[in-house]
Amino acid sequence: MQKVITVNKAVILSKQLRSQNMKIILVGGCFDILHIGHIRFLQEAKKLADILVLLLESDASVKKTKGENRPINTQKDRAMLLAQLCIVDYVVLLPFLKADADYDKIVSTIGPSVIATTKGDPYAMHKKRQAEILKSKLVFVTDRIPNASSTRLAKLLHQEL
């Protein structure tokens, strides 16, 4: 089974899964340096559905939101790592998306039953809007874990260099 897929493949696959009455949960993010906060988040999200689909931000998007020295790992490398986790069913490689409408279109065509995020997610308002458009649920599955962030780890790495 190919776990790392394109947006177009995700749309086709999600239609097939929904026709089989499979419940899809959608998560998204950078996942630049995989850490315990990511793992706990994905574990809790997976408990809420049959299939966990992860939207993985492009390198350009990570650079735009996190800064010039990011990402530490390329999208391809991040996808390969995430695909090795048994709790992740599919990793969708996002292209660089410029507008909220672009995200909304992708999320709408995948059509998840649930969108998962963490408490304190700065993008929760966008996910709430998408859930309302789809008439699906937005679920805050975990709290953020203090000191467990890719940004913190990246800063520590740069201090060591």
Side-chain angles (χ1 to χ4, degrees):
M1 169 178 80
Q2 177 81 20
K3 287 178 76 168
V4 179
I5 59 177
T6 64
V7 171
N8 289 337
K9 176 68 177 168
V11 170
I12 294 165
L13 184 63
S14 66
K15 286 178 186 174
Q16 292 170 346
L17 294 168
R18 285 194 317 271
S19 74
Q20 298 168 18
N21 294 319
M22 300 290 275
K23 189 173 182 181
I24 299 170
I25 190 162
L26 190 67
V27 301
C30 301
F31 298 89
D32 191 10
I33 304 172
L34 201 58
H35 57 74
I36 192 64
H38 291 135
I39 300 301
R40 287 185 183 157
F41 167 66
L42 294 169
Q43 285 175 326
E44 292 304 310
K46 178 65 176 183
K47 291 177 184 178
L48 302 174
D50 302 304
I51 302 293
L52 187 142
V53 176
L54 188 151
L55 299 180
L56 187 61
E57 293 291 347
S58 69
D59 293 343
S61 177
V62 175
K63 185 177 291 297
K64 181 180 174 188
T65 59
K66 303 290 185 178
E68 191 58 35
N69 293 324
R70 302 283 295 279
I72 302 296
N73 294 296
T74 65
Q75 185 187 44
K76 181 180 176 184
D77 289 347
R78 291 180 281 132
M80 287 178 60
L81 287 167
L82 290 161
Q84 297 310 305
L85 301 174
C86 61
I87 50 182
V88 174
D89 294 295
Y90 296 99
V91 178
V92 180
L93 301 173
L94 290 177
F96 179 67
L97 302 171
K98 295 180 182 176
D100 291 343
D102 297 330
Y103 282 98
D104 292 350
K105 183 178 178 184
I106 290 170
V107 172
S108 293
T109 55
I110 292 173
S113 304
V114 181
I115 298 172
T117 192
T118 57
K119 294 176 188 165
D121 177 357
Y123 301 101
M125 64 189 163
H126 299 293
K127 294 170 183 174
K128 181 180 180 192
R129 182 190 67 248
Q130 292 163 346
E132 287 171 355
I133 290 168
L134 289 166
K135 297 184 179 11
S136 65
K137 275 196 295 189
L138 174 65
V139 178
F140 294 88
V141 294
T142 58
D143 291 318
R144 288 181 173 249
I145 298 173
N147 298 322
S149 78
S150 294
T151 298
R152 179 179 172 276
L153 293 171
K155 286 178 182 174
L156 290 171
L157 287 171
H158 284 292
Q159 287 175 1
E160 294 295 319
L161 297 176

